Amino acid sequence: MSTAEKTVKEIQNQIVEEFSFFDEWDEKYAYLIELGKKLEILDPSHKTEEKKIKGCQSQVWLNSYLKDDKIFYQADSDAVIVKGLVSLLVRVFSGHPPAEVAQADIDFIDEIGLKQHLSPTRSNGLVSMLKQMKLDAVAYQALLQSKQ
Amino acid sequence: MSGTKIKGLDLTTIREEFPVLDQQVNGKPLVYFDNAATTQKPKAVIDSLVSYYSSYNANIHRGIHTLAEKATAAFESTREAIRAFINASSTEEIIFTKGTTESINLVAATWGKENIQKGDEIIVSGLEHHSNMVPWQILANEKGATVKIIPVNENGELILTELNNLITAKTKIIALNHVSNALGTINPIAEVIKIAHSKNVKVLVDGAQAVSHLDIDVQKLDADFYAFSGHKMYGPTGIGILYGKKALLEEMPPYQGGGEMIKEVTYASCSFNELPYKFEAGTPNIADAIALKASVDFINRFGKPAIREVENQLLDYATQKLSAIPGLTIKGTAKEKVSVISFVIEGIHHQDLGILLDQEGIAVRTGHHCTQPLMGHFGITGTARASFAVYNTFEEIDRLEAGIKKAVKMLK
């Protein structure tokens, strides 16, 4: 089964399994940093104020689009660990029907021991980013329904 | 440093007075270097809170029963302790608020309401925390006044020579901090006040970052208003002070309406209570106000010169250690500064650094420290900030140095 055919839940499980290989926190973070550095470059035309999600500390730019009735995300951040986390969210959410994304529970970040990054602190753009990803999915879901 | 004595201070013992410090974070002994955000609390402060709630919780000033009398006496004894702490001339000049921010808002909303008119000017410094900028911007917007900024040089010091040019016949008040939270700069507030008063301009000092380090004598300074919080001086959160000169406070309208601030109320009108109660509407934060006395006692037990001695040694040691890390630049190199080191590392985002240090059990602050205009001045989005208190040690600074080096290696 290719990635695109997996459900949001299945991809989350896969990520949890990947992280289970790391015993030490520094290995886990080194992997996140690597993922952050490898995240596909967001086209500068999408790095606008409108697409910027402001945290107190780091910024995230998020773009989403619909292709073959599936939602895809692209993102970037000025902080590399956030970028690594963002890359995981992009991987989990991209390529699914908007309705599935809109309803999905995100629990893998907690399970891989990175829950503090989803704590309700102002310092963190990630919570706002997750919220925006869901909002985009809801918007596309509505768009698809109106076409039917 | 543990085990050593500075001017009679046994630092090992001081540390033991802070229960929170004795814990592991992410599997490592906690290193708490976020003291400019809030200091930890000694046991005496915690005990004072527990004691109030477990033995004499009562509302104050109005009750005639024993618990109310006891609570009122304790509450008012903090007022007296604070008066002495900053050498105000009377307890009538000591107003309890919920913190520095509320103290500043109180002045903007009352003194500002009466005294700022269309076309007037308010001066703040380029080093201000948002708390000492936003209330003035709101006031200026309401009144059609303008806010002018005292510029800052590359070392993070105020360019005081500009002040004379900034003050005009329209200038009504200067609001500036005694110590910069983001950089640690100690501002020459005595000089600012002197210049301001020679031109009939009032001065409000945001003392939030100064009270735990510097000796404050509001009479000697001749400050019109001096605002600070309990939680940055080893005291509880949710309690702060506004000092104001009695003559000014008397002229000011009340801040909020409700119990305690009134003398007499009829259906048609009311008359306001005496100072300081005129500004203390409603049931105050009794427990935290009472416990604030324990933090004043804690500081007085050693004296600020001895505390400063410890903190300055930590600052010098950390400055030397951190400066040697390749790519690291300290922002804020004022000649006069408190124990705060704000720094950036080339090619590394401060948030990444903060996250990795936290994994090592080291708490620093990262971000813009609620001083976005200042960060803009330096052309950065934020810094990492380590700020020291009397209970910190040289060993902890060694751990910070090692933690930064490890983080840099991981992030590069």
Side-chain angles (χ1 to χ4, degrees):
Chain A
M1 196 159 45
S2 73
T3 308
E5 288 160 349
K6 284 190 173 158
T7 64
V8 167
K9 182 67 195 154
E10 282 164 348
I11 301 172
Q12 290 193 62
N13 290 341
Q14 198 177 16
I15 291 170
V16 172
E17 203 188 316
E18 281 169 27
F19 272 84
S20 71
F21 292 119
F22 306 123
D23 295 327
E24 303 291 334
W25 73 265
D26 34 9
E27 294 169 345
K28 208 183 306 183
Y29 276 90
Y31 183 54
L32 268 185
I33 291 164
E34 195 188 315
L35 290 175
K37 286 179 178 168
K38 280 203 295 208
L39 181 65
E40 189 191 340
I41 291 168
L42 180 67
D43 192 283
S45 65
H46 294 308
K47 279 183 134 178
T48 59
E49 272 305 303
E50 192 193 320
K51 291 189 174 174
K52 188 151 97 176
I53 294 161
K54 282 181 188 166
C56 192
Q57 306 220 352
S58 56
Q59 290 140 10
V60 174
W61 292 267
L62 177 72
N63 181 49
S64 64
Y65 59 92
L66 205 60
K67 193 182 159 192
D68 301 333
D69 292 350
K70 286 176 179 156
I71 191 165
F72 289 86
Y73 295 95
Q74 296 170 312
D76 195 5
S77 172
D78 53 351
V80 73
I81 293 174
V82 169
K83 217 167 145 178
L85 289 159
V86 159
S87 81
L88 291 173
L89 289 173
V90 166
R91 180 174 149 198
V92 166
F93 280 152
S94 281
H96 301 286
E100 188 189 350
V101 172
Q103 283 146 31
D105 286 325
I106 288 297
D107 45 24
F108 78 101
I109 291 186
D110 187 4
E111 281 182 45
I112 59 182
L114 297 169
K115 194 187 182 178
Q116 76 268 30
H117 297 288
L118 285 180
S119 67
T121 147
R122 280 186 301 168
S123 67
N124 205 330
L126 206 66
V127 178
S128 315
M129 146 122 180
L130 187 56
K131 201 169 148 194
Q132 191 58 50
M133 289 176 110
K134 289 249 183 184
L135 283 174
D136 285 6
V138 170
Y140 282 124
Q141 187 186 358
L143 186 73
L144 288 176
Q145 276 167 355
S146 70
K147 278 185 188 166
Q148 279 168 3
Chain B
M1 182 184 279
S2 53
T4 55
K5 287 191 178 189
I6 293 176
K7 289 188 178 167
L9 265 100
D10 184 339
L11 294 159
T12 325
T13 326
I14 289 184
R15 226 179 142 74
E16 283 165 6
E17 290 184 45
F18 291 81
V20 81
L21 296 175
D22 184 25
Q23 67 172 303
Q24 301 228 319
V25 167
N26 294 319
K28 314 271 167 59
L30 168 68
V31 173
Y32 186 79
F33 282 160
D34 196 15
N35 296 290
T38 195
T39 52
Q40 298 300 344
K41 319 305 171 200
K43 202 163 172 297
V45 170
I46 301 165
D47 288 349
S48 175
L49 286 166
V50 172
S51 163
Y52 168 75
Y53 281 122
S54 52
S55 70
Y56 62 103
N57 170 50
N59 211 330
I60 53 170
H61 291 143
R62 284 162 292 240
I64 52 140
H65 55 82
T66 304
L67 296 194
E69 296 277 359
K70 195 178 169 188
T72 304
F75 184 84
E76 290 302 327
S77 81
T78 298
R79 202 188 305 270
E80 167 52 28
I82 292 288
R83 186 210 59 75
F85 192 65
I86 60 170
N87 195 32
S89 59
S90 153
T91 50
E92 290 175 314
E93 298 178 320
I94 307 298
I95 295 154
F96 284 114
T97 63
K98 60 183 186 185
T100 309
T101 304
E102 192 184 40
S103 296
I104 296 167
N105 276 280
L106 191 161
V107 176
T110 61
W111 185 89
K113 188 178 164 189
E114 291 283 287
N115 293 283
I116 302 289
Q117 312 302 336
K118 190 173 166 55
D120 281 346
E121 292 167 358
I122 298 161
I123 296 177
V124 303
S125 92
L127 286 170
E128 293 317 305
H129 187 272
H130 296 167
S131 296
N132 199 24
M133 190 169 285
V134 179
W136 304 111
Q137 287 173 340
I138 292 172
L139 177 67
N141 278 340
E142 268 174 26
K143 297 281 190 167
T146 46
V147 177
K148 292 160 97 178
I149 315 285
I150 309 171
V152 177
N153 70 18
E154 274 313 295
N155 297 329
E157 295 163 317
L158 294 182
I159 306 173
L160 211 59
T161 47
E162 292 292 317
L163 187 58
N164 280 310
N165 303 330
L166 285 174
I167 299 177
T168 71
K170 296 276 187 187
T171 308
K172 291 288 155 64
I173 191 166
I174 299 175
L176 86 166
N177 57 33
H178 198 164
V179 167
S180 148
N181 74 306
L183 308 178
T185 311
I186 301 173
N187 289 318
I189 57 162
E191 225 178 310
V192 171
I193 292 169
K194 221 169 143 188
I195 296 169
H197 285 176
S198 74
K199 302 191 175 186
N200 206 19
V201 172
K202 299 282 181 270
V203 179
L204 174 141
V205 182
D206 168 355
Q209 296 293 335
V211 277
S212 74
H213 310 283
L214 308 179
D215 304 292
I216 316 291
D217 183 332
V218 288
Q219 292 187 75
K220 203 170 148 197
L221 281 171
D222 200 25
D224 298 297
F225 300 105
Y226 197 97
F228 58 100
S229 304
H231 74 98
K232 292 190 205 284
M233 50 180 273
Y234 310 102
T237 55
I239 190 77
I241 301 296
L242 173 67
Y243 158 82
K245 281 182 181 166
K246 191 179 167 188
L248 285 171
L249 294 176
E250 277 177 339
E251 287 169 8
M252 283 153 55
Y255 180 43
Q256 292 169 331
E260 201 65 60
M261 54 74 71
I262 47 89
K263 190 184 269 171
E264 203 172 17
V265 182
T266 67
Y267 282 114
S269 67
C270 63
S271 61
F272 302 128
N273 205 340
E274 312 279 309
L275 286 175
Y277 309 112
K278 183 170 96 178
F279 294 105
E280 295 179 358
T283 296
N285 186 349
I286 303 167
D288 293 303
I290 289 173
L292 181 59
K293 169 128 189 328
S295 74
V296 173
D297 293 343
F298 173 81
I299 291 172
N300 288 343
R301 210 168 89 219
F302 310 111
K304 287 188 200 166
I307 291 173
R308 256 195 323 273
E309 176 72 25
V310 174
E311 291 172 344
N312 285 342
Q313 288 198 22
L314 292 166
L315 177 68
D316 289 347
Y317 186 69
T319 304
Q320 182 200 327
K321 285 266 171 175
L322 267 51
S323 305
I325 296 174
L328 188 149
T329 309
I330 294 175
K331 293 287 174 189
T333 48
K335 273 189 229 76
E336 300 288 329
K337 64 183 272 191
V338 300
S339 51
V340 166
I341 297 188
S342 218
F343 60 95
V344 293
I345 300 175
E346 209 189 329
I348 288 177
H349 194 281
H350 47 82
Q351 185 179 12
D352 291 324
L353 184 65
I355 290 171
L356 297 181
L357 287 174
D358 177 56
Q359 289 297 322
E360 294 282 351
I362 303 166
V364 296
R365 186 55 157 263
T366 58
H368 53 60
H369 317 295
C370 298
T371 58
Q372 280 177 302
L374 178 64
M375 295 294 127
H377 166 73
F378 283 120
I380 53 180
T381 58
T383 68
R385 180 188 71 186
S387 49
F388 312 119
V390 68
Y391 41 66
N392 290 127
T393 68
F394 289 133
E395 288 83 356
E396 289 180 311
I397 289 166
D398 291 340
R399 279 189 51 204
L400 174 65
E401 182 202 16
I404 293 171
K405 284 181 172 169
K406 180 174 177 176
V408 169
K409 212 170 157 187
M410 287 179 72
L411 291 162
K412 280 264 159 104

